[in-house]
Amino acid sequence: MDSISPGQACIYRKYRESLPHHVVQIVIDYLSEKHRGPLNQAVDLGCGSGQCTFQICKYFGHVLGTDISSTQIEEAVKQKEKQGVKNVTFEKSSAEEIPLPDKSIELIIACRSAHWFDLDKLYSEGERVLCPGGVMTFIGTRTMSLTVEYIKDDGRNSELVKITDYIHDFLKPYFPPEAQASTDEYKEIKIPYNDFKRVGGVMDSKVVNLSFIIGLIQSYSMFHNFCRVEGTQEGEDFLENIRKNRFLTATGLEGEDIDEDIFTLKTTYFILMGRLNGTN
């Protein structure tokens, strides 16, 4: 049975940010250092609803997105059809069994998902499917790090820090143990290929409204765990408390439902890249 409901997959698609262009470019530049031929094939593991897939397909002849969740794959296919993207396909599959031929892939990428995989099996599978000079890359963010600033009054940002700290502390007991590695920026993970590079502190920001922030919290696996344990109504009450009694109070807009983009959402990415021997 799929652990992700259609409603959860829709929330994930709507509120999880697409992978920023400058983060993708770091990976493409690393790959291009030794790969001289065309970029024919990439695979996006744990693709969700395509937040990374649709960004990297601009560089490759074809991209395959895989996920073990059928509802995530269904949501990704809907987005493919909506956007009219021709060089992407999605398939339900585990990360450790990539449904592509030997030596056929230039890039394996896992964005915010590598901590869910059996990495030893994945490394072996990568050796099978990657072409000479091919790259495996893991991209992540600090899972428990939500950074929000109020663009109209910097003096209120200290209150916003208190709010995001409260959210983290409240949901921390429901944090999936598999995701713990992301809070440490995968510091214990090293892709065991010939070349290995780690890049940290890659910043991105976007201006959003309060509804987007609440939706992003809804997309967190720890929030899903909280609702499973405590009940859906408790989850709704928690979100309403965050929205009305904390964010609106901190910004001096109590009692109002604001749709204006007045918050800056900041995200810090880290990137791990490993390359197999050989050049193309």
Side-chain angles (χ1 to χ4, degrees):
M1 183 178 179
D2 204 317
S3 63
I4 299 178
S5 70
Q8 289 170 337
C10 183
I11 289 171
Y12 195 95
R13 185 267 306 163
K14 187 174 181 180
Y15 295 109
R16 285 297 180 102
E17 310 98 307
S18 296
L19 193 62
H21 169 77
H22 61 280
V23 176
V24 177
Q25 193 62 53
I26 290 171
V27 176
I28 297 300
D29 288 347
Y30 179 79
L31 171 60
S32 300
E33 286 177 7
K34 294 189 177 180
H35 180 83
R36 307 304 183 194
L39 299 179
N40 296 314
Q41 178 70 59
V43 61
D44 178 15
L45 303 178
C47 66
S49 44
Q51 285 76 8
C52 174
T53 322
F54 294 121
Q55 300 305 308
I56 63 174
C57 73
K58 302 167 186 176
Y59 299 87
F60 288 85
H62 181 262
V63 178
L64 171 66
T66 70
D67 202 289
I68 61 171
S69 167
S70 58
T71 52
Q72 291 278 38
I73 292 297
E74 289 168 6
E75 194 67 37
V77 170
K78 290 178 185 177
Q79 290 306 300
K80 174 189 173 181
E81 294 171 351
K82 182 178 180 181
Q83 297 180 29
V85 180
K86 303 298 184 183
N87 66 328
V88 167
T89 56
F90 293 99
E91 184 172 337
K92 182 178 179 180
S93 176
S94 69
E96 299 83 4
E97 297 180 2
I98 298 172
L100 290 170
D102 295 358
K103 311 302 179 186
S104 64
I105 301 174
E106 287 84 32
L107 177 67
I108 296 172
I109 190 167
C111 185
R112 294 178 169 179
S113 58
H115 47 272
W116 298 107
F117 305 152
D118 183 326
L119 292 181
D120 288 336
K121 290 183 179 179
L122 177 56
Y123 297 145
S124 296
E125 184 71 339
E127 291 176 345
R128 180 184 72 81
V129 297
L130 282 171
C131 66
V135 167
M136 178 179 289
T137 184
F138 302 154
I139 298 174
T141 62
R142 283 182 171 268
T143 304
M144 293 288 285
S145 179
L146 178 66
T147 303
V148 179
E149 295 180 355
Y150 183 47
I151 64 175
K152 292 189 174 183
D153 184 353
D154 291 344
R156 298 182 188 271
N157 287 337
S158 60
E159 291 301 314
L160 293 180
V161 170
K162 294 177 183 178
I163 294 170
T164 54
D165 285 347
Y166 167 78
I167 295 168
H168 299 155
D169 292 343
F170 185 90
L171 293 176
K172 190 173 183 179
Y174 307 93
F175 189 67
E178 297 91 343
Q180 181 60 45
S182 66
T183 66
D184 299 326
E185 299 189 358
Y186 291 173
K187 68 179 182 180
E188 301 299 326
I189 296 176
K190 180 179 180 180
I191 300 171
Y193 294 167
N194 305 102
D195 296 333
F196 177 73
K197 185 175 182 179
R198 185 186 299 269
V199 178
V202 184
M203 297 294 300
D204 187 59
S205 64
K206 64 185 298 183
V207 178
V208 300
N209 60 23
L210 182 54
S211 295
F212 187 92
I213 296 170
I214 298 301
L216 181 62
I217 296 168
Q218 280 183 282
S219 77
Y220 289 167
S221 56
M222 50 193 167
F223 178 75
H224 295 165
N225 289 344
F226 171 74
C227 291
R228 278 195 287 267
V229 173
E230 309 296 343
T232 302
Q233 186 59 53
E234 289 294 324
E236 292 176 357
D237 291 345
F238 169 71
L239 293 176
E240 179 62 11
N241 173 45
I242 293 299
R243 187 194 71 83
K244 184 176 181 180
N245 298 330
R246 295 183 183 270
F247 274 107
L248 292 181
T249 299
T251 54
L253 298 170
E254 297 94 328
E256 297 185 34
D257 190 4
I258 51 174
D259 292 321
E260 186 181 358
D261 292 341
I262 60 171
F263 296 99
T264 300
L265 179 67
K266 294 187 174 181
T267 306
T268 304
Y269 290 86
F270 57 88
I271 308 167
L272 280 62
M273 298 174 286
R275 178 176 17 238
L276 287 179
N277 257 338
T279 58
N280 263 7

